Amino acid sequence: MSTRILSPLADAAGLDAIKALGLLANLELSADAYGKAMREVGRALGRSFARLNSVSGQTVYLAVTVEDADYLAAGIAEALQQAHALTSVACFWNTRKKPSGLKGLDIAPIVNEYREPIPEELEHLIVVKSIISGACVVKTNLMHLLEDASPRQIHIMAPVIYKGAEDRLASEFEDEIASKFQYWLLATDDEKDESGNIVPGIGGEIYSRLGFAGQKGKNAHYPDFIKERILASG
C-alpha cells in the first residue's frame, strides 16, 4: 500500500495547491484539465518560493524540461514575475534511455535546448521537474548548466518525489555542489506500479497525461511558454 507524505510546504501553499496535487492523480482527468492543474501547482510552488526567499530584484534562472514548460514551469514563472524576480529560462529536450547491459541505469541526454543568458551574479538556480524518481533528467540538466553557472543557491522543485531520490541526486555531485541543494516539494511517495510509475505520483506517465504522443511526441513539441519569451525579447 502506498504512503504519501505531504510536506510542510504543501500545508503552507494552501488547500488549493493540495487540491490541485490531488487532481493530478485522477486518471479520468482530460489532458486540458490535467495541464491546468499542473499549472496551478506551479503557481503554488512559485509563490511559496518567492515569499520565502524575498526574490524581488533577485536573479533567478529557471531550468525546465519541454514537457513541463507550458504547465508546471509556466505557473512557477508567473508567480516569480508577480514577485518581481529577475527571471531567465532554459528549456531542455531530453531523451531517456536504458543502456543495454546496464540494468537499473537510466540516462537522459539533451537533444535540443533553448537557453537565455545566465546572469554573472546568479542568486537562485531552480531546476524544475514534474516528478522526480531516479533523478537522471535533473542530474543531466543541472550538470550541463553548472558548466557555465555559479549559483549561490540551487533549488530542486517538483510537485512529487519518490522516497530516497534526494540522496540519489546528491550522490551524483561533489559535496560543494550538493550542499547548495534546497528542495521544494509538495509530496513524497514510496511505491511504484509494475510499469515503474510512482503511485499515486502525478497519475502515471507525464507525456500521455498531457496528451503528447510519447517521448518522440513531446520532443517534437515547441512550448508556447518559450515562444512567448522569444517574442517578448524582441
Side-chain angles (χ1 to χ4, degrees):
M1 186 178 208
S2 64
T3 301
R4 163 160 285 184
I5 299 175
L6 291 177
S7 70
L9 184 65
D11 290 332
L15 291 177
D16 286 347
I18 295 173
K19 180 181 178 180
L21 183 65
L23 281 174
L24 297 179
N26 180 356
L27 299 178
E28 302 302 318
L29 211 61
S30 68
D32 182 62
Y34 187 87
K36 289 178 180 177
M38 188 66 82
R39 187 160 185 157
E40 180 55 39
V41 168
R43 290 190 193 98
L45 285 167
R47 285 193 297 263
S48 297
F49 176 84
R51 182 177 66 252
L52 293 171
N53 285 282
S54 302
V55 297
S56 179
Q58 294 188 0
T59 52
V60 179
Y61 202 82
L62 195 62
V64 311
T65 58
V66 62
E67 65 271 21
D68 292 329
D70 283 334
Y71 308 100
L72 180 65
I76 295 168
E78 181 182 325
L80 293 174
Q81 182 180 17
Q82 290 171 350
H84 306 292
L86 305 176
T87 307
S88 304
V89 171
C91 181
F92 298 105
W93 287 250
N94 300 86
T95 297
R96 295 190 64 166
K97 300 178 180 179
K98 291 182 178 292
S100 59
L102 297 175
K103 186 177 180 180
L105 177 65
D106 285 353
I107 61 173
I110 297 166
V111 295
N112 194 13
E113 65 178 66
Y114 163 84
R115 282 175 60 174
E116 295 171 4
I118 298 173
E120 290 186 14
E121 296 293 328
L122 178 55
E123 288 158 310
H124 303 284
L125 171 59
I126 306 177
V127 183
V128 177
K129 193 73 178 65
S130 52
I131 191 162
I132 300 175
S133 177
C136 67
V137 174
V138 172
K139 177 192 75 172
T140 298
N141 295 346
L142 179 54
M143 284 183 170
H144 184 59
L145 284 171
L146 289 176
E147 294 175 2
D148 302 307
S150 298
R152 293 179 185 172
Q153 296 181 67
I154 299 171
H155 308 274
I156 313 300
M157 189 174 289
V160 180
I161 196 167
Y162 187 59
K163 185 179 180 181
E166 299 100 317
D167 292 337
R168 288 190 291 275
L169 181 62
S171 70
E172 299 285 350
F173 293 86
E174 296 180 359
D175 290 345
E176 180 183 359
I177 297 298
S179 64
K180 295 182 178 183
F181 290 178
Q182 295 183 28
Y183 290 89
W184 299 81
L185 316 167
L186 297 181
T188 300
D189 292 340
D190 64 357
E191 183 183 344
K192 291 185 179 181
D193 63 21
E194 58 186 20
S195 298
N197 293 317
I198 299 172
V199 179
I202 54 172
E205 183 263 308
I206 185 70
Y207 310 150
S208 58
R209 293 307 312 269
L210 288 171
F212 294 118
Q215 183 164 237
K216 185 175 181 180
K218 68 96 177 176
N219 276 348
H221 176 65
Y222 204 90
D224 289 338
F225 175 61
I226 300 302
K227 293 176 184 176
E228 290 164 5
R229 293 191 67 86
I230 293 171
L231 288 173
S233 68

